[in-house]
Amino acid sequence: MTTDLNPHSNRSVILTVAEVIDETQDARSIVFDLPTHNAEKFVDYLPGQFLTLRIPSEQIGSVARCYSLSSTAGHDERPKITVKRTSDGYGSNWICDNLAVGAQIEVLPPSGVFTPSDIDAPTLLIAAGSGVTPVMSILKAVLADGTGPVTFLYANRGERDVIFAAELRELQTRHADRLTVIHWLNSVQGRLTEDQVANLIAPLSATHSAYVCGPGPFMDAVHAGLSKAGFGHERVHNEVYTSLSGDPFEDVELGELSDEEVDSAAQVEVELDGHTHQLSWPRSRTLVDVMLGAGLDAPYSCREGECGSCACSLTKGTVEMAVTGALDDADIADGYILACQARPTSDSLRIEF
């Protein structure tokens, strides 16, 4: 195992493994010590966010993979990810085989937008298999800091595959007045269908916001069931991972702008973390690049349009995007854009993060 690593960019940090927990026969949690650099970002992250890990590869040097935090800031002392082996998962298998106590790995700070906007609102959580990881982080945050009722529908192949089974039982006992956990086991009940999803959650359609994470076929059934039960798109939030092909650990090289690019630049007002910034936005540059060039802490991870970390609202003006992978048609219709892909097509714009 490589030790004494050096970060490849100003954004990344080196984390040391503090503990490894076997959750099931093919899933384990990796607990990290807080880093010496950018430690505050690993203390104040949002429930449901993820870490991007730089995993060694003999073929291409490294690959970047995103893994959700199953820990909850303010309630768990150290950050923790939970990883499940898959037959074709290079990253997950490498982590399970190589990350032992004392090992080091390079990561980007917590990122992602799969987080509850209202911690007190009635919440419906739906997960399958290792999709429980970000949902568990949200569940603990909502129960500890919120006031609304929570229903958690959790599907697995069988009883032995239930990750966090003991912790869920403890949470049910401690929050019996607010938390309802519905376990669905394929070995007993068969695969969950859209009709079964709709029947289970129909009573919640007028009050709850849904947060969903799991494999593709499961997500398809759940989305169909949510729609059939009457959940509006604006109250359904999804976490979907894709393998990253680029290297988000490299520092961004912006290069010089031509006089023509400067002269034809659009003007954009960006609201970020409660502050408003007036920026000149060259039409050849993405919004993330422009924000980084202005010294702003732009929220992004992959820069490929796939992770959704840079999603923001376009409230004035128009843009074009080469890739819209993390957004669906309804997101775009609602005014969401990806800052790592957006380039201006109007002279004046306003963006809210």
Side-chain angles (χ1 to χ4, degrees):
M1 170 55 56
T2 302
T3 57
D4 300 323
L5 299 178
N6 293 312
H8 285 74
S9 73
N10 293 326
R11 299 175 62 233
S12 59
V13 301
I14 305 301
L15 293 185
T16 300
V17 178
E19 185 180 2
V20 176
I21 305 168
D22 288 325
E23 304 287 358
T24 67
Q25 58 187 354
D26 56 5
R28 57 176 35 181
S29 292
I30 312 295
V31 184
F32 297 105
D33 283 326
L34 293 174
T36 56
H37 172 60
N38 271 347
E40 69 282 355
K41 293 187 176 181
F42 293 83
V43 174
D44 296 329
Y45 56 91
L46 299 175
Q49 290 193 310
F50 61 82
L51 300 181
T52 303
L53 278 61
R54 189 174 190 270
I55 297 172
S57 167
E58 294 181 359
Q59 296 180 338
I60 59 174
S62 69
V63 295
R65 294 292 184 266
C66 301
Y67 295 98
S68 290
L69 288 150
S70 54
S71 54
T72 303
H75 304 285
D76 292 303
E77 182 179 352
R78 296 175 294 196
K80 176 179 69 174
I81 61 172
T82 302
V83 179
K84 184 177 180 179
R85 290 183 183 273
T86 58
S87 58
D88 57 350
Y90 174 79
S92 59
N93 290 329
W94 186 91
I95 288 172
C96 290
D97 290 337
N98 292 276
L99 285 189
V101 173
Q104 293 183 324
I105 192 164
E106 184 176 1
V107 309
L108 294 175
S111 187
V113 294
F114 184 65
T115 62
S117 57
D118 183 354
I119 206 76
D120 294 309
T123 302
L124 169 63
L125 305 173
I126 306 177
S130 59
V132 70
T133 304
V135 166
M136 193 67 178
S137 177
I138 294 172
L139 174 63
K140 291 186 291 185
V142 170
L143 290 176
D145 302 325
T147 57
V150 185
T151 295
F152 180 21
L153 172 58
Y154 186 19
N156 281 283
R157 290 173 301 185
E159 188 173 356
R160 295 179 61 190
D161 300 297
V162 179
I163 304 172
F164 308 128
E167 191 170 1
L168 283 170
R169 286 194 296 270
E170 191 275 331
L171 288 172
Q172 272 189 288
T173 300
R174 195 192 327 163
H175 300 279
D177 58 329
R178 294 178 54 208
L179 174 61
T180 300
V181 178
I182 304 170
H183 285 286
W184 187 277
L185 302 179
N186 294 353
S187 59
V188 177
Q189 298 150 292
R191 289 189 179 275
L192 192 61
T193 68
E194 63 178 82
D195 287 335
Q196 291 163 333
V197 171
N199 290 335
L200 287 168
I201 65 174
L204 312 178
S205 62
T207 53
H208 288 54
S209 292
Y211 297 83
V212 187
C213 186
F218 171 82
M219 297 280 277
D220 292 341
V222 169
H223 288 152
L226 286 165
S227 178
K228 187 171 291 188
F231 276 79
H233 168 78
E234 71 283 355
R235 290 192 292 117
V236 178
H237 312 274
N238 309 299
E239 183 66 300
V240 180
Y241 297 119
T242 57
S243 295
L244 306 182
S245 57
D247 186 357
F249 290 88
E250 293 295 328
D251 284 326
V252 178
E253 299 292 338
L254 297 178
E256 294 295 327
L257 290 169
S258 68
D259 291 341
E260 182 180 353
E261 287 176 307
V262 173
D263 292 340
S264 64
Q267 300 302 308
V268 60
E269 181 179 288
V270 177
E271 184 176 321
L272 175 68
D273 297 330
H275 299 282
T276 300
H277 308 271
Q278 303 288 341
L279 304 176
S280 180
W281 187 356
R283 299 174 192 274
S284 61
R285 299 289 175 90
T286 68
L287 181 57
V288 162
D289 288 348
V290 168
M291 293 173 68
L292 292 175
L296 301 181
D297 188 14
Y300 77 96
S301 183
C302 74
R303 299 183 75 239
E304 299 176 26
E306 297 296 345
C307 74
S309 299
C310 65
C312 51
S313 294
L314 176 67
T315 60
K316 177 184 178 183
T318 57
V319 302
E320 61 182 6
M321 293 183 285
V323 175
T324 59
L327 303 177
D328 58 28
D329 292 341
D331 292 326
I332 296 172
D334 288 341
Y336 288 101
I337 65 171
L338 298 174
C340 77
Q341 298 294 312
R343 291 175 171 83
T345 55
S346 61
D347 293 334
S348 180
L349 304 96
R350 191 175 193 282
I351 307 290
E352 296 178 358
F353 284 89

